[in-house]
């Protein structure tokens, strides 16, 4: 950030300077910044790549994208392993879909890898390569650390770093709690937005936009009077549901015999750095979102919805359908306004961060954690007009 005030900012007083964030506008579209983020932010952090429910059977797998890097998590005879999703032979992707069930076998030449990532099966090895066991050990896939908590499967790309519980702090117990409280998954969507991943996180972090962007949806159910707490670089909002929302949930609870968790009986939202947003309502409705960086101006949003224990009867499907419609409306509203803002980032003073008011304090917490990892930030390649 430069010391000189941009010419398009007011010069009569300095109050606005006290409200500046930490991430400059050009960090939302520069290629060198994304490259640095993958190395300094994502590789050092524990990333939620999926859910244990999707990896229950031998040869179940899922893949996760971090910029150009693909991670595969594979059920290897009942044990979950995470690897770089690139064959050691000619560098083809091994698992080529988002999820599925097949051995860890390269589709190009049929190299098959075992639970240690070694190419245990190499077609025509004797005639073509004559690799021995030591050669196979040297050609093992790059392995990543993997841990689970509740529903959630986490991977850390760096070989060194804190364990998952240390990384999450008190949010480790929060994820365990919401997993136990909400075992009934009713929604799973993977969506592509033309938005930088940080902009998606900034938007999801604050409630200031609710009356304007979500006037007919989210703002009707949640008070904007939220309490912030932080731990280990992550943040938590807690608040009250509006009366109309609480009454709706009371009716649902009676209709489907819905059980509630008691830790957050009204509303809680967790921002787990770097790219997770969790919302938990009425102690019985969980949404879990990850914002994967796929480019400077693009992200992949994976969103799932979960209900508390219930009687599983027809009314449950009606409730799930209502919640799917509601969450889709909110997501679409967020996507549209984020894409408007992404376009504006390229026309903003490039080295000036956006303003953050008191109701955007969770963005400030997110940006402080981000800048601790990114400092010193990569220099601008050129000055933007």
């Amino acid at each position: 950030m430069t010391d000189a005030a941009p010419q398009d900012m007011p010069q009569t007083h300095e109050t606005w300077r006290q409200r500046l964030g930490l991430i400059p506008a050009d960090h939302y579209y520069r290629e060198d910044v994304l490259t640095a983020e993958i190395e300094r932010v994502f590789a050092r952090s524990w990333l939620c790549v999926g859910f244990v429910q999707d990896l229950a059977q031998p040869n179940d797998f899922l893949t996760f994208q971090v910029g150009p890097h693909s991670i595969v998590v594979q059920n290897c005879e009942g044990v979950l392993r995470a690897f770089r999703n690139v064959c050691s032979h000619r560098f083809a992707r091994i698992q080529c879909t988002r999820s599925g069930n097949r051995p860890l076998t390269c589709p190009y030449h049929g190299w098959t890898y075992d639970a240690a990532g070694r190419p245990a099966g190499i077609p025509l090895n004797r005639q073509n390569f004559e690799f021995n066991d030591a050669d196979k050990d040297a050609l093992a896939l790059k392995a990543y650390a993997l841990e689970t908590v509740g529903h959630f499967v986490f991977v850390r790309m760096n070989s060194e770093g804190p364990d998952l519980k240390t990384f999450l702090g008190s949010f480790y117990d929060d994820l365990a709690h919401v997993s136990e409280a909400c075992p009934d998954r009713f929604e799973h969507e993977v969506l592509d937005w033309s938005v930088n991943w940080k902009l998606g996180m900034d938007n999801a972090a604050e409630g200031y936009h609710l009356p304007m962007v979500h006037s007919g949806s989210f703002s009707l159910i949640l008070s904007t009077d939220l309490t912030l707490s932080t731990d280990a670089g992550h943040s938590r909002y807690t608040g009250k549901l509006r009366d109309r929302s609480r009454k709706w949930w009371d009716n649902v609870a009676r209709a489907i015999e819905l059980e509630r968790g008691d830790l957050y009986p009204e509303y809680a939202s967790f921002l787990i750095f770097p790219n997770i947003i969790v919302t938990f309502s009425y102690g019985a409705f969980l949404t879990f979102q990850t914002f994967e960086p796929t480019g400077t101006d693009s992200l992949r949003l994976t969103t799932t919805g979960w209900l508390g224990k219930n009687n599983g009867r027809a009314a449950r499907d009606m409730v799930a359908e209502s919640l799917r419609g509601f969450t889709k409306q909110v997501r679409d509203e967020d996507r549209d306004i984020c894409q408007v803002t992404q376009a504006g980032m390229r026309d903003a003073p490039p080295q000036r961060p956006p303003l953050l008011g008191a109701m955007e304090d969770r963005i400030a917490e997110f940006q402080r954690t981000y800048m601790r990892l990114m400092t010193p930030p990569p220099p601008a390649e050129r000055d933007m007009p």
Side-chain angles (χ1 to χ4, degrees):
M1 185 176 70
T2 58
D3 292 332
Q7 293 183 1
D8 58 348
M9 290 298 295
Q11 304 294 308
T12 55
H13 58 80
E14 296 294 303
T15 303
W16 64 272
R17 283 186 179 274
Q18 301 170 18
R19 290 297 186 184
L20 287 177
L22 296 175
I23 303 179
D26 63 355
H27 277 44
Y28 289 79
Y29 56 79
R30 279 170 41 195
E31 288 282 355
D32 61 320
V33 171
L34 178 60
T35 299
E37 288 171 346
I38 292 169
E39 176 185 352
R40 302 179 192 180
V41 174
F42 283 89
R44 298 178 184 179
S45 300
W46 283 94
L47 309 175
C48 183
V49 298
F51 309 101
V52 295
Q53 291 84 350
D54 299 319
L55 294 162
Q57 301 302 318
N59 289 328
D60 279 350
F61 72 89
L62 56 83
T63 61
F64 184 85
Q65 199 75 15
V66 182
H69 306 296
S70 179
I71 298 169
V72 58
V73 177
Q74 185 90 15
N75 183 322
C76 299
E77 299 180 353
V79 179
L80 299 185
R81 301 293 189 206
F83 302 105
R84 181 164 52 194
N85 188 26
V86 179
C87 181
S88 299
H89 173 215
R90 295 263 295 279
F91 312 128
R93 287 278 184 254
I94 301 173
Q95 302 292 22
C96 302
T97 59
R98 184 75 178 183
S99 61
N101 182 281
R102 66 183 290 272
L104 197 59
T105 300
C106 177
Y108 199 175
H109 299 95
W111 283 37
T112 298
Y113 295 86
D114 62 19
R118 297 172 65 257
I122 301 177
L124 304 176
N125 177 44
R126 183 175 59 82
Q127 300 93 321
N128 200 28
F129 300 107
E130 297 184 336
F131 289 152
N132 58 29
D133 287 344
D135 295 324
K136 292 179 181 179
D137 289 343
L139 289 167
L141 301 176
K142 171 68 176 177
Y144 300 131
L146 184 151
E147 294 190 41
T148 64
V149 54
H151 298 319
F152 311 108
V153 180
F154 282 82
V155 168
R156 189 190 66 225
M157 298 173 71
N158 269 19
S159 58
E160 296 182 356
D163 63 15
L164 180 61
K165 192 166 188 176
T166 301
F167 177 82
L168 291 175
S170 60
F171 292 85
Y172 185 94
D173 291 338
D174 283 344
L175 291 183
H177 173 77
V178 298
S179 296
E180 182 178 1
C182 293
D184 180 9
R185 184 170 60 177
F186 66 87
E187 181 181 39
H188 182 84
E189 297 283 347
V190 180
L191 306 165
D192 291 312
W193 289 7
S194 298
V195 173
N196 182 275
W197 73 275
K198 297 186 297 299
L199 190 52
M201 292 297 291
D202 287 346
N203 176 76
E206 52 93 355
Y208 184 44
H209 71 286
L210 298 186
M212 189 72 178
V213 176
H214 303 302
S215 59
S217 55
F218 207 17
S219 67
L220 299 178
I221 70 166
L222 178 66
S223 168
T224 56
D225 185 15
L226 301 171
T227 300
L228 175 68
S229 59
T230 62
D231 184 27
H234 318 295
S235 60
R236 180 189 297 104
Y237 267 153
T238 54
K240 298 288 188 180
L241 296 173
R242 295 193 186 277
D243 287 343
R244 62 180 295 173
S245 180
R246 196 179 302 107
K247 290 176 181 177
W248 187 87
W249 277 110
D250 287 343
N251 289 333
V252 165
R254 287 190 291 270
I256 66 172
E257 299 174 9
L258 183 66
E259 297 183 21
R260 303 173 62 185
D262 56 5
L263 186 58
Y264 297 106
E266 296 255 347
Y267 176 83
S269 173
F270 314 141
L271 188 159
I272 298 175
F273 190 86
N275 68 330
I276 298 170
I277 295 290
V278 183
T279 59
F280 188 50
S281 300
Y282 196 71
F285 172 37
L286 169 67
T287 60
F288 187 91
Q289 297 181 318
T290 58
F291 294 79
E292 302 170 40
T294 56
T296 57
D297 289 23
S298 63
L299 64 82
R300 178 157 296 154
L301 171 64
T302 300
T303 179
T304 56
W306 310 71
L307 271 173
K309 298 173 185 177
N310 59 81
N311 60 24
R313 297 172 187 162
R316 177 267 184 197
D317 294 337
M318 295 174 61
V319 171
E321 184 62 28
S322 176
L323 293 172
R324 278 193 292 268
F326 170 77
T327 55
K328 181 181 185 304
Q329 179 180 349
V330 173
R331 284 196 308 266
D332 288 350
E333 291 165 350
D334 281 332
R335 177 202 61 208
D336 292 348
I337 198 62
C338 284
Q339 290 178 173
V340 168
T341 308
Q342 183 70 43
M345 285 292 186
R346 288 187 175 271
D347 198 31
Q351 292 298 300
R352 206 215 86 195
L355 293 166
L356 298 176
M359 295 179 69
E360 296 154 304
D361 51 359
R362 194 157 67 150
I363 299 178
E365 179 66 20
F366 166 77
Q367 295 195 1
R368 281 191 290 270
T369 304
Y370 171 91
M371 291 305 290
R372 281 198 296 270
L373 293 176
M374 287 289 286
T375 301
E381 294 182 348
R382 61 187 176 92
D383 291 328
M384 298 294 290

